[in-house]
Amino acid sequence: MSSKLLQDIETFEDYGHPLIIAGPCSAESKEQVLTTAHELNKIGINIFRAGLWKPRTLPSSFEGVGQQGLEWLIEVKHQTGMRVATEVATPLHVEASLKAGIDILWIGARTVTNPFAMQEIADALSVNPDVIVLVKNPINPDIDLWIGALLRVYNAGIRKLGAIHRGFSTYGNHIFRNSPQWNIPIELHRRIPHLPILCDPSHMGGKREYIPTLSQSALDMGFNGLFIESHCNPDKALSDKEQQITPNQLNTIINSLVIREKGFATTELNLLRELIDQCDNELLEVLARRMHISRQIGTLKKDHKLQVVHTDRYNSILNKMIEQGDKLQMNPEFIKKVMSAIHEESVRQQIQILNKNDKNN
Ligand code: PEP
Ligand code: MN
């Protein structure tokens, strides 16, 4: 695809750098919406987000207050002068939001994954090409699907268009709720250099404690801004409470961020360091998974009175790894060292299990 894609979209320069959009995961009540908005406005935030129609994994979860929340967002606009943003997932959401006067609509990861839904939303948006639209990445790391969704919105006449990187869903236990895979937004930027890209560290990290570092990483790589969940009482939030922070906590984070010059990947070094950190996290997760399996094997060995170390099995693993490593241009001595450290730790953990079980018996 050429860099002429989405040629004449507007930049978000007027909204400040970094552009920050904050607000609760869900609008829950008029009081919660207004309290949070006033507190955010006080710390200098001028774009407020709140989800009204919530795409939840389980049907038993809180699915949002729906259309009645539109009035609360418009009240935020009147009382604070902030711009307001909400998520749309169907043409009905788009129509109702546009009619109410919502300034910014974002399309969530689950919706972006479905081209039919995206096209219907784009058609509904075409009646008001002045609205600002932000397109989150699809759940799966498919850059063409993401670009396809952006193109559908662009083809509907929208020129105030941006992307939000919120990470990608993966199976199993991981450090982050959604894996950052920074190489994908970097590639999006390479293909469409003038497209504003925000980072959503809340959905990416899934936990409050990760917001500062993910935000800083995004800014170091030259993202244009941040999209952060903030709630006046996060512990009582009806959705995503573990990743929401108070407006005061958000203020502390914003004040601690190092703001770099505008522009994506301003320094190659920052980018490469992020990619290295990503690899290290993946390594850690894979090692943890391997140790977990190893402990399960330890329990089986104990039950069946098998010995812990099987030299033949270890040698065959090692030879296979050296052979595969060779295809990946890896030094065999290095592979031996790594595999021997992993094997040693596996054996240590299995012996620990045997001892523990022995003590319990
Ligand atoms: C959200 O921003 O509230 C949301 C539902 O996000 P995502 O689509 O990234 O899961
Ligand atoms: Mn959320």
Side-chain angles (χ1 to χ4, degrees):
M1 279 189 219
S2 87
S3 61
K4 297 227 178 74
L5 273 180
L6 315 183
Q7 216 179 125
D8 52 343
I9 54 170
E10 294 181 18
T11 67
F12 288 174
E13 262 162 25
D14 294 350
Y15 308 118
H17 179 75
L19 162 63
I20 297 185
I21 300 178
C25 176
S26 303
E28 298 163 5
S29 68
K30 186 171 178 179
E31 197 196 351
Q32 169 250 6
V33 165
L34 285 167
T35 306
T36 309
H38 279 288
E39 288 179 15
L40 286 169
N41 194 223
K42 229 187 277 166
I43 65 157
I45 303 295
N46 44 37
I47 309 181
F48 180 76
R49 64 148 280 160
L52 306 179
W53 298 279
K54 299 300 301 175
R56 305 306 302 280
T57 303
L58 298 174
S60 50
S61 310
F62 173 64
E63 292 190 301
V65 295
Q67 197 148 337
Q68 64 166 320
L70 288 169
E71 278 173 29
W72 309 340
L73 292 183
I74 299 306
E75 192 61 28
V76 167
K77 235 172 117 156
H78 288 153
Q79 289 192 18
T80 66
M82 295 165 98
R83 281 193 170 84
V84 289
T86 200
E87 173 171 347
V88 289
T90 70
L92 283 179
H93 300 163
V94 175
E95 280 154 29
S97 303
L98 292 178
K99 196 161 155 225
I102 303 296
D103 307 284
I104 301 174
L105 304 179
W106 84 81
I107 304 163
R110 292 161 191 78
T111 311
V112 176
T113 308
N114 179 346
F116 291 122
M118 273 313 303
Q119 190 54 52
E120 284 180 6
I121 290 170
D123 293 343
L125 286 167
S126 65
V127 302
N128 186 350
D130 275 339
V131 69
I132 301 171
V133 179
L134 301 173
V135 178
K136 287 199 165 193
N137 62 262
I139 292 278
N140 49 324
D142 182 340
I143 190 167
D144 293 321
L145 195 56
W146 196 0
I147 292 177
L150 286 156
L151 276 172
R152 288 175 201 275
V153 176
Y154 177 86
N155 290 343
I158 308 295
R159 292 297 177 267
K160 294 175 193 154
L161 186 57
I164 302 175
H165 175 47
R166 48 79 82 195
F168 302 95
S169 182
T170 41
Y171 181 70
N173 286 337
H174 296 275
I175 296 169
F176 300 126
R177 180 178 177 192
N178 289 292
S179 152
Q181 303 202 29
W182 297 109
N183 47 320
I184 294 193
I186 300 289
E187 174 61 13
L188 179 66
H189 173 68
R190 196 189 64 77
R191 294 201 206 172
I192 316 176
H194 51 292
L195 176 72
I197 309 183
L198 311 183
C199 174
D200 173 346
S202 311
H203 289 91
M204 190 179 281
K207 290 213 168 66
R208 285 165 207 163
E209 66 202 78
Y210 297 134
I211 294 176
T213 44
L214 289 171
S215 301
Q216 187 63 60
S217 297
L219 294 185
D220 289 348
M221 281 182 276
F223 276 69
N224 302 83
L226 301 167
F227 190 82
I228 301 186
E229 288 191 338
S230 175
H231 188 294
C232 58
N233 190 356
D235 290 332
K236 292 273 154 55
L238 298 182
S239 58
D240 286 351
K241 67 171 159 201
E242 288 189 12
Q243 68 192 36
Q244 301 208 59
I245 51 177
T246 63
N248 268 339
Q249 289 167 325
L250 177 63
N251 196 26
T252 308
I253 292 174
I254 293 174
N255 288 332
S256 70
L257 290 173
V258 180
I259 313 294
R260 311 203 184 272
E261 261 178 60
K262 277 186 230 178
F264 233 87
T266 36
T267 68
E268 192 78 12
L269 186 61
N270 285 337
L271 173 59
L272 293 174
R273 282 186 172 150
E274 278 314 324
L275 296 179
I276 286 279
D277 288 353
Q278 187 177 306
C279 286
D280 288 347
N281 280 341
E282 285 166 15
L283 271 175
L284 212 59
E285 287 168 356
V286 171
L287 283 174
R289 209 160 66 232
R290 195 188 191 285
M291 291 306 156
H292 178 73
I293 298 172
S294 191
R295 286 193 293 274
Q296 289 177 310
I297 293 179
T299 308
L300 277 180
K301 283 179 179 166
K302 162 81 185 167
D303 291 350
H304 295 277
K305 300 199 172 5
L306 296 172
Q307 67 189 59
V308 165
V309 181
H310 288 256
T311 317
D312 289 351
R313 164 82 180 141
Y314 175 59
N315 283 337
S316 98
I317 292 179
L318 188 60
N319 289 335
K320 200 173 72 194
M321 294 305 281
I322 289 175
E323 205 179 295
Q324 286 179 356
D326 187 50
K327 290 187 192 130
L328 297 168
Q329 282 144 28
M330 306 268 291
N331 179 324
E333 288 311 312
F334 171 68
I335 303 231
K336 265 187 224 162
K337 266 193 228 154
V338 171
M339 290 313 294
S340 141
I342 293 174
H343 183 248
E344 206 176 291
E345 176 60 10
S346 261
V347 169
R348 193 187 67 80
Q349 297 220 10
Q350 294 192 358
I351 287 175
Q352 223 173 27
I353 286 184
L354 296 196
N355 289 343
K356 197 164 141 209
N357 288 353
D358 280 343
K359 271 181 215 146
N360 292 344
N361 283 342

